[in-house]
Amino acid sequence: MPQQSLVDFFKPSKWALDREETTFANYGWSNKDMDPVPPRLRTWTTWSYISYWVSDATNLGVWELAGSMLAVGLSWRQALLCIVVAYVIISVVMVLTGTIGARLHVAFPVLNRSSFGFWFSYFTVFSRVLLSMFWFGIQTYNGSQCVYQMLKAIWPSIANMPNRFPVSANITSSGLMCYFLYWLIQLPFLFMTPHKIRWLFFVKGVLTPIAWLAMIIWAFVKVPASQGLFSQHTTIEGSEFSWAWLSAMNSALGSYATLSVNIPDFTRYAKNERAQYVQPFIIPVVFTLCSFVGIAVTSAGIQLYGEVLWDPLLLIDRWDNRAAAFFASFVFALSTIGTNISANSLGAGNDITALCPKYINIRRGQILCAIVGGWALCPWKILANATGFLSFMDGYTIFLGPFAGIMVTDFYLVHKGHVDVSAMYDPLGRYRYTGGFNWRAVLAMMVTVGPTLPGLINSINPSIKIGYATHLFDIAWMYGFVVASLVYYVASYLFPAHGTYVDGLISADDVLPVDYEKDRKFPFETVQSGAEGEDKKSAIVETTCVT
């Protein structure tokens, strides 16, 4: 009966994933997508990461961030120095967290259990799901503006399309239509598997630099540097300048703070650890160059149009050459798709999979991100002005700085790289700590997030005055990373969790066959004993094996 079929459709059992013969799913806390990556799927080379970062740097967010720094009063030299310092810092953190993924071959939601505790790690994962969805909406809105410019280049009459929304909505009827079109366009790309998506980054990395080079040439032809870029000076001074510079740097850090935490989702596919060591060299170079393009073209726009057009699509909207406008918008749309998948939907997919592995894999997680992140939020509200954009970037760094600091400190300084991968899949294993919570990580989070919350509240509602507390929020990522690292290390040194220490790295390669992608039942289980303060040892016990 149709009615009965509809009822069955909404039953949880209807949506349960088919039982995969995975390696760690015996515990019920994994599925095939959450397992350690088998050797045959470790396909990312050094060139894969170079093309990844070249393609990722050429996106609207990087351009807008650089241009918005001019909008808040910084000169082009001050903005560029701010960007260089920020991306040098974030690249170092990126390779530190990335090495963990490349060495263990597991995703962020799994490896995070070793530092936060099995259950407390779900707080970090859930927080990151929300942040990824927010950013997914932001990038989708950016892409919708690209679609609008492409349609306008073909049919200029779209500019006269009647608007049914009030000005306070910060979006027009045509804008909402383009948002829906772009959402549909990027949807099929969400079905690409993570180990194959590197080809999208390669194509994007070839096409987008061409468009950016053409735009900076256009800027210098229209407005020589002596009249545009070099004539642009700061409009603020004193303490106002100092805090504006630090806030802008925090925003630059915040733009990739999410990826600095979840980069293991990609480095776990590396052929070896060395493949991703190129990140501290390629990230500062390409992001500085791309930011310079954004700054230079924005400066030219000031001279040509008399206002700070920090969004390049607002600049393209002024162009008379329809072919150039279409090509530039198309390339920006392509680059935004790649960035949205790599930095947002894949991360959210991994995280949602970890939250509910029985029913959700990475692909289903990405679809959920596209639906919730794409429509439940209002990114056009956030991007309505430069100040709002910077405030949004600052806002979520209060969590991501401590996340990264605790991860790095725990793996390199506390456990010195000696962790047990198999125990990360066991809720009763050595990383259970106290009731599933590592109180040292809880303490570090409370010390760092608490003092910055007033600043976050003020950024949401400026009418709430909090005095000088706003300055701590201006450096939220830096404060969170440094203080959380220090508090976590001291607490772990004074009160070590002896049960979590092992003599050496116990990786999936150590306890499983060479290629554990083959269909078979998991032949091992981890036996744990002892409380947090006692010595716990993992015993690998053979159960069954079908070959």
Side-chain angles (χ1 to χ4, degrees):
M1 296 175 63
Q3 185 176 1
Q4 184 62 36
S5 299
L6 185 62
V7 173
D8 291 341
F9 181 80
F10 288 100
K11 287 183 177 179
S13 59
K14 184 72 174 179
W15 289 91
L17 295 169
D18 293 335
R19 177 72 178 183
E20 298 269 11
E21 298 298 344
T22 61
T23 56
F24 289 101
N26 282 49
Y27 300 133
W29 301 100
S30 182
N31 57 37
K32 192 174 182 179
D33 286 346
M34 281 292 97
D35 276 358
V37 176
R40 77 178 188 87
L41 295 182
R42 300 171 191 171
T43 57
W44 284 49
T45 65
T46 297
W47 287 108
S48 299
Y49 290 101
I50 291 176
S51 63
Y52 172 88
W53 284 114
V54 170
S55 68
D56 218 46
T58 49
N59 75 80
L60 280 171
V62 172
W63 184 305
E64 289 171 345
L65 178 63
S68 64
M69 291 183 183
L70 301 184
V72 297
L74 298 183
S75 71
W76 73 272
R77 293 179 180 85
Q78 295 162 348
L80 201 62
L81 177 62
C82 177
I83 288 166
V84 171
V85 174
Y87 285 117
V88 167
I89 293 173
I90 206 68
S91 68
V92 173
V93 177
M94 201 79 70
V95 77
L96 289 174
T97 54
T99 298
I100 304 175
R103 187 175 300 177
L104 306 184
H105 304 292
V106 296
F108 158 77
V110 175
L111 64 86
N112 214 29
R113 295 167 181 169
S114 64
S115 52
F116 285 83
F118 194 93
W119 294 117
F120 187 49
S121 70
Y122 281 83
F123 165 73
T124 68
V125 172
F126 184 74
S127 300
R128 245 246 353 228
V129 168
L130 294 179
L131 300 175
S132 295
M133 287 183 174
F134 260 103
W135 193 239
F136 182 90
I138 294 289
Q139 292 288 11
T140 302
Y141 178 74
N142 284 336
S144 72
Q145 290 186 307
C146 299
V147 171
Y148 174 80
Q149 293 301 330
M150 292 166 63
L151 293 177
K152 182 171 174 285
I154 301 174
W155 299 289
S157 59
I158 194 175
N160 300 320
M161 179 177 174
N163 177 34
R164 307 299 182 186
F165 296 113
V167 176
S168 59
N170 291 314
I171 194 170
T172 62
S173 298
S174 60
L176 189 61
M177 177 191 72
C178 293
Y179 185 88
F180 177 68
L181 288 175
Y182 184 80
W183 185 85
L184 286 179
I185 291 170
Q186 74 177 350
L187 193 61
F189 290 93
L190 303 184
F191 293 94
M192 297 180 67
T193 56
H195 61 279
K196 291 183 178 179
I197 202 172
R198 70 187 191 279
W199 296 111
L200 174 63
F201 301 143
F202 175 77
V203 173
K204 176 186 166 186
V206 171
L207 291 180
T208 50
I210 297 174
W212 285 50
L213 180 62
M215 291 188 73
I216 195 172
I217 291 174
W218 168 85
F220 285 137
V221 168
K222 287 287 188 179
V223 181
S226 59
Q227 301 175 21
L229 182 65
F230 296 155
S231 65
Q232 198 272 327
H233 302 290
T234 182
T235 59
I236 53 179
E237 58 184 14
S239 62
E240 182 184 3
F241 160 74
S242 299
W243 287 113
W245 192 90
L246 288 172
S247 179
M249 185 172 72
N250 193 67
S251 297
L253 290 167
S255 65
Y256 278 87
T258 298
L259 201 52
S260 71
V261 170
N262 80 282
I263 191 66
D265 292 344
F266 295 95
T267 57
R268 65 175 175 148
Y269 294 100
K271 278 182 175 285
N272 51 57
E273 284 185 41
R274 296 187 300 276
Q276 53 90 47
Y277 285 166
V278 71
Q279 293 183 105
F281 304 100
I282 191 66
I283 292 175
V285 173
V286 296
F287 277 88
T288 300
L289 290 176
C290 292
S291 298
F292 176 76
V293 174
I295 291 171
V297 177
T298 301
S299 295
I302 295 174
Q303 300 299 320
L304 289 173
Y305 306 112
E307 56 183 307
V308 182
L309 300 174
W310 57 282
D311 183 344
L313 293 171
L314 296 178
L315 188 69
I316 293 173
D317 189 57
R318 307 290 183 93
W319 290 359
D320 296 325
N321 190 320
R322 290 161 60 183
F326 180 88
F327 174 73
S329 300
F330 170 78
V331 171
F332 274 123
L334 176 64
S335 67
T336 305
I337 288 175
T339 301
N340 218 9
I341 292 173
S342 65
N344 304 309
S345 71
L346 268 178
N350 276 287
D351 293 343
I352 299 173
T353 299
L355 292 174
C356 197
K358 183 178 179 180
Y359 297 99
I360 300 176
N361 54 21
I362 291 179
R363 180 172 295 175
R364 290 184 179 182
Q366 287 183 275
I367 300 303
L368 283 174
C369 175
I371 295 173
V372 178
W375 294 103
L377 307 174
C378 297
W380 45 87
K381 292 283 189 180
I382 300 171
L383 290 171
N385 56 72
T387 303
F389 181 74
L390 291 176
S391 296
F392 172 76
M393 301 291 283
D394 284 339
Y396 65 78
T397 61
I398 69 172
F399 298 101
L400 297 177
F403 288 173
I406 292 170
M407 287 173 59
V408 170
T409 302
D410 180 80
F411 187 80
Y412 292 101
L413 300 181
V414 176
H415 288 101
K416 297 179 169 50
H418 299 164
V419 294
D420 182 355
V421 172
S422 60
M424 296 178 187
Y425 294 84
D426 185 359
L428 300 178
R430 67 172 75 251
Y431 298 121
R432 187 173 184 269
Y433 289 94
T434 303
F437 287 71
N438 182 358
W439 64 264
R440 303 155 193 82
V442 175
L443 176 65
M445 290 295 299
M446 292 176 62
V447 170
T448 52
V449 173
T452 55
L453 279 177
L456 178 60
I457 294 172
N458 175 258
S459 71
I460 297 173
N461 186 359
S463 63
I464 300 177
K465 304 301 180 183
I466 60 172
Y468 292 108
T470 55
H471 294 326
L472 191 59
F473 179 71
D474 290 336
I475 56 171
W477 189 92
M478 294 171 282
Y479 168 81
F481 183 88
V482 173
V483 175
S485 299
L486 181 62
V487 171
Y488 184 82
Y489 180 78
V490 171
S492 298
Y493 180 80
L494 296 177
F495 307 97
H498 296 289
T500 64
Y501 290 91
V502 291
D503 294 333
L505 172 63
I506 303 175
S507 69
D509 294 348
D510 294 328
V511 298
L512 295 170
V514 175
D515 193 338
Y516 31 93
E517 176 69 9
K518 298 176 181 178
D519 291 336
R520 55 166 178 71
K521 293 184 178 179
F522 176 47
F524 308 102
E525 64 180 7
T526 304
V527 178
Q528 303 288 352
S529 62
E532 179 191 356
E534 300 175 0
D535 186 31
K536 295 182 183 178
K537 295 183 179 179
S538 296
I540 306 302
V541 181
E542 185 170 356
T543 55
T544 59
C545 181
V546 178
T547 58

